[in-house]
Structures are given as structure tokens and as C-alpha cells.
Amino acid sequence: MKNPFLVKGYISSEYFCNRKIETDKIISAIENRRDLTLISPRKMGKTGLIYHVLNQNLIKEKYYSVYCDIYQTGKLSEFVTVFGNAVINQLEKTPDKMLKKIKRFFSGLTPSFSFNPITFQAEIDFKIVNHREAENTLQQIFVLIKNSKKPVVIAFDEFQQITGYPEKNTEALLRTHIQQLINARSIFSGSSKHLLSAMFSDYNRPFYQSTQLLTLPKINKNDYSGFISEKFSAAKRTIDEKAVSHILNITRTHTYYVQYLCNRLYESRIKKIDKEVVDKILLNILYENEGYYFTYRNLLTTQQFSLLKAIGKEDGVAQPSSKDFILKYGLGTTSTINSAIKSLLLKDLIFKEGDKYMVYDVFFSLWLKLLS
Ligand SMILES: Nc1ncnc2c1ncn2[C@@H]1O[C@H](COP(=O)(O)OP(=O)(O)O)[C@@H](O)[C@H]1O
Ligand SMILES: [Mg+2]
């Protein structure tokens, strides 16, 4: 039996827990011609959900879908290359037609064209050398979409990246193009909450209130419990109820961490899984990761690390500058704490969940708890 707990990528609904409400919401937005923004902390399941939506029969039948992950892009020309490749690979399935189209549409450029033998995808290097060419090529890509035979769903994953491009007009440029597309709906997805929400909710920004906002919550505990028990019993193994709820508690039901812990439990081949087994496997994971955690520690000041450790030990803190908390962990003054909080937030080592500051990485948080 293959391990049913994925820790990367999307295969099919068989390996995907729930997300019915969110899937329906996104499909409804698509069907009703609304653009949508999907936000959540990292590793909560945005990318998985996008793939899940694009994999639904209704979407596959009625639309072309273009998925582009722009995490690796740092400037407009790179965006255009990733986006252009995603569009061309989706809209033209045969290499001949693809080539023809490229020649016709990108006549001003001399793009080079190759096939990746591993992904079976065409790879186009547009050879963009300046800003004008980037803008022109972008324009051509949108014309291609406009001429598509079917309506198009475009997913821009890690969309907050564009705020870091040196071309400060990128937001306005994309907004103008996207606004004019009658036959396409866009999904903007990203993790960096402040960056992405600012883009869509500041009234002086181009994308202001242009999309429906969907904040991806945690997966419902009951549904996740059912999913986990089912996968083990399908492999003729048992996991008791307490063990399952223990998994969901210690991982805060943060999707990736649930998946990872279950993946390692599944790998262990242990037939009867109880709470003790979960703790044993968890400990293995934490020790394995220790190298990373020491690196984090070396990147922080003593003050920042002490605060991080205290937040981990408390499983989240609402008021880090309160007297009790400072005294309990010997943390110094209110003002040093405030500046440490700021820099931990900036480094994405902590984030705010509800009214509490939490250590972002769940396993790191659990490791901090083990420290004296
Ligand atoms: N509904 C789900 N059921 C099972 N596994 C999921 C689900 N959603 C996401 N995952 C898995 O969780 C991990 C993190 O999800 P991902 O979509 O990459 O998060 P994000 O894009 O928010 O950072 C991935 O390994 C993915 O396969
Ligand atoms: Mg993602």
C-alpha cells in the first residue's frame, strides 16, 4: 500500500480531506464570474485546494485552467515567463500548434522553445531583455487568453510576491489586464497575510476590493479524524480515538503537520497506534529536525530566542508584555519585548492566530517546549 498521507502535491480527492465548503465557494465564484483571493497561513492547504478545485469535473469540462506559482519570481520578466508558460501549455496541447501560436503572437521576440522530457511540458524562454518587452509580452499573453475557445480559470499562487518586484507598476498593470478579461476568472492565493490583504483592502491600491476574500480555515476536526482512521483501517491497522485527537491537538490541526506526522506513523508499520506511539514518532521527527532549529537559534538574538521559547512553552501568548509572562520567563523590559515581537513577526517565526502569538512552525514550537 502506498502511503496515503501526502506531504507535497495533489493527486486526487482520495488523498484529500474534506474542503467541501471551500471547494463549493470557489466553484461558485468561478461560475458567477467573480475573482477570488485565498488567504491562510503557510501550509494550511491553499495550493492543495486550488488543485482540488481545478480537478473537479465541472471545471475540467467547462474551463481551461492555468495554474502558476510565482513564488520563485522576483521581477516582472520572470512573472511573464512563468505565466506565459502556464498559459501556452494549457491552451495549446500539441507542439505544432504551440509553435505556430508562439510565432504568431510573439513576433516581436525570438523566444526559444524546448520540451522538458520529465514533465512533458513545453518550456519557452521569451528572452525578454527590457521592461517594454516584458509589458508587450504580457499583453500578448492576455490576448491569447481572450481568444481562448473556452473560458479560463487562472490561479496565481503566492501572489504576494509581486509586491516585491522592482517594477512598482506591476499591480496596476495586472489589475488593468485582468479587469478587461471577460472570459477569465482569477484566483489569487498567498500566505503573507499582511502583504496580500493590504493589496486587496487598501483603498489606494489597484486591486482594492476587486475580489471576493476567502480565508482558509483549519480542516474540521471530526472530518480530519474520520479521514485519518479510515486510511489506517484501509491498511488493516488501527489507531485509537485518543491517538487521533492527540495528533490533531499537538499539530493544532495545521494541515501540513497533521499530514507529516501521519505520514511518518504510516511509515512505521506499527499495527496498533496509540498515544504513546504518536509521541515516540513525534520525538523522532523533532530530533531529526534539530539541525534546522539550531540554525534558527543562531540567527536570533538571545532576547528574541528567549521570547520565542517562552511563546512555544505557553502554546501561544496573547499579551507578551504582561508582567506575569515577563516575570515567569525572565524576559526583560516591555520595550525590548515589543521590538523582539516585531522582528519575530517579520521573520515569520511567529504569527497571530486569533488573539495569540504562536510559533509559526508547529514542530519547532513543540521542540522549544522540550528545552529547559
Ligand atoms: N485537504 C487536505 N487533505 C489532505 N492533505 C492536504 C489537504 N490540503 C493540503 N494538504 C497537504 O498539506 C500540505 C500543505 O498544503 P499546501 O496546499 O501546500 O499548503 P499552502 O499552499 O497553504 O502552503 C501538502 O502536503 C498537501 O498535500
Ligand atoms: Mg502553497
Side-chain angles (χ1 to χ4, degrees), residues 6-9 15-17 43-48 219 255 259:
L6 303 186
V7 292
K8 60 174 193 181
Y15 301 93
F16 197 72
C17 174
K43 302 185 173 183
M44 197 55 85
K46 295 175 297 299
T47 302
I219 294 174
T255 316
Q259 292 292 120

Side-chain angles (χ1 to χ4, degrees), residues 96-114:
D96 279 1
K97 283 191 178 166
M98 217 182 263
L99 257 180
K100 261 190 207 150
K101 197 155 253 180
I102 291 167
K103 282 195 180 132
R104 188 153 58 102
F105 271 90
F106 304 100
S107 51
L109 298 172
T110 44
S112 74
F113 178 83
S114 59

